[in-house]
Amino acid sequence: MYGVRKVLGIDGGYKGFYAKNTITLTPKFVDDIHKRGGTILGTSRGGHDSVKIVDRIQDRGINQVYIIGGDGTHKGAAVIFEEIRRRGLKVAVAGIPKTIDNDIPVIDKSFGFDTAVEEAQRAIKAAHVESESIGNGIGLVKLMGRYCGFIAMYATLASRDVDCCLIPESPFYLEGKGGLYEYIGKQLKQNGHMVIVIAEGAGQELLSESLQSVDQQDASGNKLLQDVGLWISHKIKEHFAKKKMPINLKYIDPTYMIRAIPSIASDNVYCTLLAHGAVHGAMAGYTGFTVGPVNGRHAYIPFNRIIEKQNKVVITDRMWARLLSSTNQPSFLKPRDIAEAKKEKYPANGILDGKIVKTMSMN
Ligand SMILES: Nc1ncnc2c1ncn2[C@@H]1O[C@H](COP(=O)(O)OP(=O)(O)O)[C@@H](O)[C@H]1O
Ligand SMILES: O=P(O)(O)OC[C@H]1O[C@](O)(COP(=O)(O)O)[C@@H](O)[C@@H]1O
């Protein structure tokens, strides 16, 4: 349509610009890629050197750069865009929101998220079957979400088999009134079995207290997490052993199996819309933008709006309230937590004449 003669794929993430050879992408080469999981281009963490990256863009005569990834990738794309602007190059930079975590703000959702939620159903179903099959059975499923619990929240809401969903945005506690142990005891007495879903970033503050772990990061600067699933399995078993109440806990960690599957049909269609949107935007002369739907309308969003914050579950919003009412789990919230969550949702600019401005939405 636009008469493009050559499309290059950069192998291995940002460092691939300067550390590896490019891959020529032809229609034949990419014909079947939507039927596979993972990435034919390869991925990496760290290695973002904007000067070297833009040098290589210049050397190769590239005039449009499409960058695919999550919130870290978009921060990197914004830096590349600035460097290109500083050099006065005629190179368009477009971001395509791809991450199962759904942690990119402004847009309705990222590519890959629905696929992850769909595949998580299989693990939750298995946890339900296993827990139902044995006395005082607990099925525990860990899902991805380093900083946000969207996969856990939507997978829980979709399944209706989950009795408790724990996410990073909603701190919880184990002991005492309103705590997790009390709730588990109650559920087991009532139903004889239960399912718990935990996002990998949940309860990390409890883990560091009990394991006295040191803060570690991956090459991209992301927090390296302890396995909260293993830790909480151990704590629950220990607690009920002390109480002399026999339980049967089965821990399922499907995280990488979920991330590795090919995308589902709705994500395939979404991906097509993102790809078309990005190409039409760059061809129309836009640059420094991410493409994606905002309230259902596909839009071009400047990088600075995308990178200013991370998308998180707002625990004072309706969606989390819907989850709480579907699981009947305790909210684990103290008044202080609610005040803090509200402060985050309605920052200073949301206040007009001393009153909080609320917008009506079904989100
Ligand atoms: N603030 C930043 N500035 C420049 N590059 C960044 C920044 N944050 C992350 N990156 C780079 O973006 C890439 C992807 O980031 P990462 O956090 O690993 O994944 P994701 O895009 O899924 O969040 C990595 O190569 C990382 O070094
Ligand atoms: O162990 P790895 O490969 O660093 O990946 C783990 C992380 O990847 C994530 O799934 C994000 O992956 P994507 O951004 O590729 O969807 C996080 O939830 C998780 O913490």
Side-chain angles (χ1 to χ4, degrees):
M1 176 178 186
Y2 290 111
V4 173
R5 281 189 302 276
K6 197 163 185 189
V7 180
L8 293 178
I10 304 296
D11 184 2
Y14 282 127
K15 62 176 78 137
F17 272 104
Y18 54 87
K20 284 196 169 183
N21 290 326
T22 53
I23 304 168
T24 301
L25 301 178
T26 59
K28 190 165 182 290
F29 189 78
V30 299
D31 195 29
D32 264 352
I33 59 175
H34 61 293
K35 295 177 192 154
R36 302 189 222 161
T39 161
I40 52 151
L41 289 177
T43 183
S44 68
R45 304 225 183 257
H48 187 280
D49 182 329
S50 57
V51 172
K52 278 197 205 165
I53 291 169
V54 178
D55 284 350
R56 301 306 293 146
I57 289 172
Q58 250 183 308
D59 296 347
R60 292 189 176 113
I62 294 170
N63 54 13
Q64 291 185 351
V65 185
Y66 297 92
I67 301 179
I68 306 166
D71 72 313
T73 302
H74 277 83
K75 286 183 192 137
V79 178
I80 292 172
F81 167 63
E82 281 311 324
E83 179 63 18
I84 283 174
R85 207 151 64 161
R86 197 185 62 76
R87 296 188 194 185
L89 305 177
K90 289 208 168 76
V91 178
V93 184
I96 298 174
K98 184 267 356 149
T99 166
I100 63 168
D101 286 356
N102 197 35
D103 57 3
I104 300 176
V106 188
I107 57 166
D108 297 345
K109 71 180 162 198
S110 53
F111 167 66
F113 173 64
D114 279 352
T115 300
V117 171
E118 190 67 46
E119 185 64 7
Q121 301 304 299
R122 292 206 316 139
I124 294 174
K125 198 167 168 219
H128 181 61
V129 169
E130 287 290 332
S131 69
E132 256 191 335
S133 310
I134 193 161
N136 281 346
I138 302 176
L140 174 72
V141 179
K142 184 177 77 170
L143 297 175
M144 277 189 178
R146 204 191 305 250
Y147 301 109
C148 65
F150 286 104
I151 301 177
M153 177 168 81
Y154 276 79
T156 295
L157 274 165
S159 132
R160 317 292 295 195
D161 278 338
V162 180
D163 301 280
C164 187
C165 172
L166 303 167
I167 59 169
E169 296 88 337
S170 181
F172 64 94
Y173 52 95
L174 301 173
E175 313 263 357
K177 206 168 162 36
L180 184 64
Y181 295 149
E182 183 191 71
Y183 178 61
I184 294 175
K186 203 179 83 194
Q187 285 301 106
L188 292 182
K189 269 189 200 124
Q190 223 167 288
N191 301 327
H193 57 89
M194 74 180 294
V195 173
I196 302 173
V197 161
I198 189 159
E200 63 180 338
Q204 289 292 317
E205 63 294 340
L206 298 177
L207 251 99
S208 3
E209 259 171 43
S210 100
L211 302 176
Q212 291 175 344
S213 55
V214 268
D215 272 355
Q216 284 185 318
Q217 295 183 334
D218 68 14
S220 295
N222 298 308
K223 226 177 359 182
L224 270 183
L225 303 175
Q226 308 266 9
D227 188 335
V228 71
L230 275 181
W231 174 81
I232 206 159
S233 303
H234 170 73
K235 296 298 280 184
I236 293 170
K237 284 179 188 164
E238 190 183 56
H239 173 82
F240 286 99
K242 263 196 226 149
K243 292 229 150 212
K244 304 223 177 325
M245 176 172 167
I247 59 156
N248 283 293
L249 188 147
K250 316 286 178 195
Y251 171 40
I252 301 176
D253 178 352
T255 46
Y256 290 107
M257 295 186 78
I258 288 174
R259 195 173 62 175
I261 63 157
S263 48
I264 57 171
S266 62
D267 256 334
N268 284 344
V269 174
Y270 180 37
C271 186
T272 303
L273 297 183
L274 291 175
H276 286 193
V279 170
H280 292 322
M283 289 295 178
Y286 292 112
T287 180
F289 67 88
T290 293
V291 65
V294 180
N295 294 328
R297 303 290 297 252
H298 276 255
Y300 298 126
I301 306 125
F303 282 150
N304 59 345
R305 296 304 308 277
I306 293 288
I307 63 169
E308 66 190 359
K309 64 177 183 146
Q310 218 173 12
N311 196 25
K312 293 201 179 217
V313 173
V314 179
I315 55 170
T316 49
D317 255 5
R318 287 194 187 102
M319 214 55 188
W320 187 244
R322 287 181 186 119
L323 179 135
L324 294 179
S325 79
S326 98
T327 59
N328 274 320
Q329 70 190 68
S331 79
F332 303 108
L333 288 177
K334 300 183 193 89
R336 200 191 56 204
D337 297 324
I338 297 176
E340 260 169 36
K342 280 197 172 147
K343 232 191 286 164
E344 252 180 55
K345 188 172 179 204
Y346 304 111
N349 63 5
I351 294 177
L352 204 61
D353 298 332
K355 284 187 195 132
I356 289 175
V357 182
K358 288 193 180 172
T359 51
M360 286 302 289
S361 85
M362 284 299 288
N363 295 327

